[in-house]
Amino acid sequence: MWDYSDKVKDHFFNPKNAGAVAGANAIGEVGSISCGDALRLTLKVNDDTEVIEDAGFQTFGCGSAIASSSVLTEIIKGLTLDEALKVTNQDIAAELDGLPPEKMHCSVMGREALQAAVANYRGEEWKDDHEEGALVCKCFAIDAVMIEEMVWANKLRTVEDVTNYTKAGGGCAACHEDIEAILEKVLKERGEAFDPNAKPVAKPEPVAAKGPMTNLQRIKKIEEVIMSFRPQLMADGGDVELVEVVDKTAYVNMTGACNGCQMSAMTIAGIQQRLMEVMGEFIKVVPASQMPKLVTIEEASHA
């Protein structure tokens, strides 16, 4: 399980300003329920002073999404729109005494919802898909502009970091090379060299030091999570099976109606997200078709 601060737990169990604001004159909507996270932020803004007099949220997502949305509404009430726009995703996370790296995308979603609400109030158009940038991650509709911004703002160094902060790369993994290219570009501008083997940004210590998970324990946990997805998939004529686990990468086969389905990437991404929540570590779920060929002992002897 993630190591959540007391503030995150408080805002999750006792969310502040949940629900839509009556008489709201600014609305910001970001995310997508199909991708697992969505946020609707409503504001009541004083037309004379542009001070945010009230704020409310409605969210579909995990506990971190609820906590980030809750604390955001508390931060911005009483601020002018221009002051509120200076609030960053780091400010949201800091107010919660930190978020696990794998959940930082929730604070990013809150910041974007605020930008969208302010644009809505001012009669401007704001889109969370950053159409001016090339689409990098098709699974979660994340583009190069979004990734570059997060790498700069949060000093990210690895593909794992980018996935934690934006979800990009958390689905089929086909965009990992493009993410590495963006990291190389931004780090060069920062005067640093990109190291594909660099450690991700610091993670919080686990709640209880239980030692590293063995590969057998990891396989059993992965099997348990996949089993929890199977009933719904089978009801729709599909299924998923675990083929192999190599280090922290699980290779799966989508069968039946799920084989070739346009939503299979979303299903795989959902399995991966659930695995990371259950296991408290970064796990990749990849179609078995992308599994590298394993060299057998017999093949090696003839090499």
Side-chain angles (χ1 to χ4, degrees), residues 5-49:
S5 71
D6 289 339
K7 282 190 176 180
V8 171
K9 294 175 184 176
D10 179 51
H11 278 278
F12 171 63
F13 290 113
N14 305 288
K16 314 298 189 295
N17 311 304
V21 170
N25 53 0
I27 300 174
E29 296 180 332
V30 297
S32 168
I33 291 179
S34 65
C35 294
D37 291 305
L39 170 60
R40 187 172 191 262
L41 183 68
T42 53
L43 310 177
K44 186 175 182 180
V45 182
N46 185 300
D47 291 326
D48 296 324
T49 62

Side-chain angles (χ1 to χ4, degrees), residues 190-239:
R190 258 185 1 213
E192 303 174 34
F194 170 63
D195 179 3
N197 299 313
K199 293 183 179 180
V201 292
K203 292 186 178 182
E205 292 297 319
V207 177
K210 299 180 181 179
M213 185 178 293
T214 67
N215 200 48
L216 180 59
Q217 291 172 325
R218 184 175 291 113
I219 291 172
K220 287 183 177 179
K221 284 289 185 184
I222 292 172
E223 287 178 335
E224 289 174 6
V225 170
I226 288 178
M227 284 296 293
S228 70
F229 276 79
R230 293 188 66 201
Q232 181 60 51
L233 296 178
M234 293 174 72
D236 294 332
D239 204 352

Side-chain angles (χ1 to χ4, degrees), residues 37-71:
D37 291 305
L39 170 60
R40 187 172 191 262
L41 183 68
T42 53
L43 310 177
K44 186 175 182 180
V45 182
N46 185 300
D47 291 326
D48 296 324
T49 62
E50 286 201 342
V51 168
I52 300 172
E53 297 179 342
D54 200 2
F57 76 93
Q58 295 164 290
T59 188
F60 179 90
C62 62
S64 295
I66 294 171
S68 296
S69 304
S70 172
V71 80

Side-chain angles (χ1 to χ4, degrees), residues 3-247:
D3 185 8
Y4 291 114
S5 71
D6 289 339
K7 282 190 176 180
V8 171
K9 294 175 184 176
D10 179 51
H11 278 278
F12 171 63
F13 290 113
N14 305 288
K16 314 298 189 295
N17 311 304
V21 170
N25 53 0
I27 300 174
E29 296 180 332
V30 297
S32 168
I33 291 179
S34 65
C35 294
D37 291 305
L39 170 60
R40 187 172 191 262
L41 183 68
T42 53
L43 310 177
K44 186 175 182 180
V45 182
N46 185 300
D47 291 326
D48 296 324
T49 62
E50 286 201 342
V51 168
I52 300 172
E53 297 179 342
D54 200 2
F57 76 93
Q58 295 164 290
T59 188
F60 179 90
C62 62
S64 295
I66 294 171
S68 296
S69 304
S70 172
V71 80
L72 171 64
T73 58
E74 289 289 277
I75 292 172
I76 63 176
K77 282 198 297 184
L79 299 181
T80 65
L81 294 181
D82 287 337
E83 290 170 338
L85 284 174
K86 295 177 182 178
V87 174
T88 66
N89 72 289
Q90 296 99 321
D91 294 329
I92 296 170
E95 191 66 23
L96 290 168
D97 289 339
L99 283 169
E102 294 86 353
K103 294 296 182 180
M104 282 299 293
H105 62 268
C106 295
S107 65
V108 174
M109 187 170 65
R111 183 186 68 91
E112 291 196 328
L114 175 60
Q115 292 176 325
V118 173
N120 173 256
Y121 175 81
R122 292 176 171 171
E124 301 167 352
E125 185 177 4
W126 186 90
K127 295 183 178 180
D128 64 354
D129 60 0
H130 305 276
E131 287 187 344
E132 68 275 17
L135 192 64
V136 174
C137 177
K138 295 181 179 179
C139 294
F140 295 105
I142 306 297
D143 80 334
V145 173
M146 173 68 162
I147 296 173
E148 286 187 26
E149 182 181 338
M150 289 299 105
V151 173
W152 270 108
N154 298 283
K155 299 181 180 179
L156 308 184
R157 298 191 298 266
T158 68
V159 173
E160 182 175 336
D161 290 336
V162 172
T163 299
N164 292 338
Y165 277 69
T166 69
K167 282 195 171 185
C172 67
C175 59
H176 283 196
E177 287 188 10
D178 291 334
I179 294 174
E180 287 186 352
I182 293 172
L183 283 165
E184 186 173 5
K185 171 180 176 290
V186 175
L187 289 175
K188 183 177 180 180
E189 293 172 355
R190 258 185 1 213
E192 303 174 34
F194 170 63
D195 179 3
N197 299 313
K199 293 183 179 180
V201 292
K203 292 186 178 182
E205 292 297 319
V207 177
K210 299 180 181 179
M213 185 178 293
T214 67
N215 200 48
L216 180 59
Q217 291 172 325
R218 184 175 291 113
I219 291 172
K220 287 183 177 179
K221 284 289 185 184
I222 292 172
E223 287 178 335
E224 289 174 6
V225 170
I226 288 178
M227 284 296 293
S228 70
F229 276 79
R230 293 188 66 201
Q232 181 60 51
L233 296 178
M234 293 174 72
D236 294 332
D239 204 352
V240 59
E241 61 180 2
L242 179 64
V243 176
E244 182 63 274
V245 177
V246 180
D247 295 326

